Amino acid sequence: MKTALLTHADCLGHVTPTGHPERVARLEHVLHALEPLDLNRVTAPLAADDDLRRIHPESYIRDIRDALPAEGFARLDPDTFMSPGSLDAAYRAAGAAVRAVDMVLGGEAPNAFCAIRPPGHHAETDTAMGFCLFGNPALAAKHALEHHGLDRVAVLDFDVHHGNGTQDLLWDEPRALVITSQQMPLWPGTGRPDETGAHGNVLNLPLAPGTGGAEMRAVWRDRAFPRLRSFRPELIVISAGFDAHRDDPLANLNWETEDFAWLTAEICALAGELCQGRIVSTLEGGYDLNALAAATRAHVEELMKAAR
Ligand SMILES: [Zn+2]
């Protein structure tokens, strides 16, 4: 079976103001890079509000709907904008995460990558921030737990920014283990090691500016993977940001494309050992277009190798 690629043209309809780093061209570059690959291409559905209510209160979902501008932009916070196409994009992004879980847990795909925007890991329970509207990776985890009845889901986040939203949404969820590495100090400022979740279910791994591939690999190998192994997840959700790349303009880590390939391959090996290889990966950040495209392709190629 092939790795599934879930996306939708609506995700290109989420427009941000000129000069904004989270721009349409990001997804265009990602899709172009994935074009030659032999993937099971799936049209992402719209999420249902019942899905979104697993992570956000009805009042927040209504606020997002009500914020949609008829033209131009609505500014939700200093960094987070909506254009007329943003609501459909956000519902497709969340819908991709849900559908990917259904496919992987239903045996339709061994693993899946969601090429989506807006990203999701900064969206908190009732706060849009950091370019994110709905918490796509936390939604994937909750859907697996509550709809499919799993007992343990791990969310691994290697975006250079702390996944404060995922942490917030899963803080009090003992069935979810959140492991996240991030540059520190860096926006949004959270992600200290003493942020451990209500049930000790969050592991924060801050990395100093300048951290390169060798140090990153040691941290994930020595800190993250033993924890993941002892948790024994039944599904692994990856919050796949590629802005720890050395060329990224928003941060100062020094990962190379092959570091993303290494990390993905290691996660795939653990998934093979622990949960029949079941992985759902969702696109987060990455703001140098060429680095983003190359690292995303390397990530998806590792998922494909594991699917064979
Ligand atoms: Zn990021």
Side-chain angles (χ1 to χ4, degrees):
M1 274 193 300
K2 296 176 188 173
T3 294
L5 171 66
L6 294 94
T7 189
H8 196 284
D10 284 353
C11 292
L12 300 168
H14 167 55
V15 180
T16 50
T18 303
H20 195 286
E22 204 295 282
R23 56 210 191 274
V24 174
R26 295 181 59 247
L27 184 55
E28 291 174 338
H29 274 66
V30 165
L31 293 175
H32 181 71
L34 300 181
E35 185 65 42
L37 304 184
D38 185 22
L39 295 157
N40 177 11
R41 290 161 200 278
V42 177
T43 302
L46 296 165
D49 284 339
D50 282 348
D51 296 325
L52 296 174
R53 279 192 282 267
R54 296 192 196 281
I55 52 168
H56 298 296
E58 177 64 35
S59 57
Y60 175 75
I61 300 167
R62 194 169 50 241
D63 286 349
I64 293 293
R65 278 202 300 264
D66 291 349
L68 189 74
E71 58 185 45
F73 298 105
R75 187 175 195 169
L76 306 186
D77 85 347
D79 307 312
T80 311
F81 293 82
M82 292 179 77
S83 71
S86 297
L87 197 62
D88 283 346
Y91 273 78
R92 293 287 179 193
V98 169
R99 178 78 185 105
V101 169
D102 289 342
M103 291 187 73
V104 169
L105 294 183
E108 295 175 70
N111 53 34
F113 180 71
C114 301
I116 51 178
R117 53 186 293 279
H121 76 149
H122 295 307
E124 297 187 343
T125 303
D126 54 11
T127 309
M129 60 185 281
F131 321 156
C132 301
L133 301 181
F134 298 136
N136 309 317
L139 174 57
K142 281 286 197 180
H143 180 70
L145 294 167
E146 293 180 0
H147 180 75
H148 291 276
L150 296 195
D151 294 320
R152 293 176 309 282
V153 176
V155 181
L156 311 182
D157 186 332
F158 55 74
D159 189 280
V160 79
H161 302 95
H162 179 233
N164 61 293
T166 304
Q167 173 172 295
D168 177 58
L169 292 166
L170 298 176
W171 183 264
D172 197 21
E173 175 51 83
R175 299 170 295 176
L177 171 66
V178 178
I179 302 178
T180 161
S181 72
Q182 56 273 339
Q183 180 182 321
M184 181 165 279
L186 187 66
W187 188 94
T190 49
R192 297 186 316 272
D194 63 355
E195 297 166 27
T196 55
H199 309 277
N201 57 308
V202 173
L203 175 61
N204 272 294
L205 302 169
L207 303 172
T211 296
E215 292 162 273
M216 176 280 281
R217 293 181 192 207
V219 166
W220 277 85
R221 188 182 55 229
D222 298 341
R223 305 280 313 284
F225 295 153
R227 185 69 181 280
L228 183 66
R229 202 175 255 121
S230 64
F231 180 69
R232 294 184 297 114
E234 298 165 286
L235 171 72
I236 293 174
V237 176
I238 303 179
S239 197
F242 299 96
D243 41 9
H245 195 285
R246 68 159 60 248
D247 292 341
D248 197 275
L250 295 197
N252 309 100
L253 296 192
N254 288 324
W255 301 14
E256 307 277 1
T257 298
E258 54 263 34
D259 293 315
F260 293 97
W262 176 87
L263 185 50
T264 307
E266 292 290 314
I267 294 169
C268 286
L270 279 160
E273 174 188 325
L274 298 168
C275 54
Q276 302 142 61
R278 300 193 295 201
I279 295 174
V280 168
S281 177
T282 66
L283 180 63
E284 298 288 351
Y287 303 97
D288 178 87
L289 295 178
N290 293 327
L292 170 65
T296 304
R297 177 167 170 155
H299 175 67
V300 173
E301 284 178 333
E302 293 301 330
L303 293 175
M304 293 173 69
K305 284 183 204 168
R308 283 192 202 122

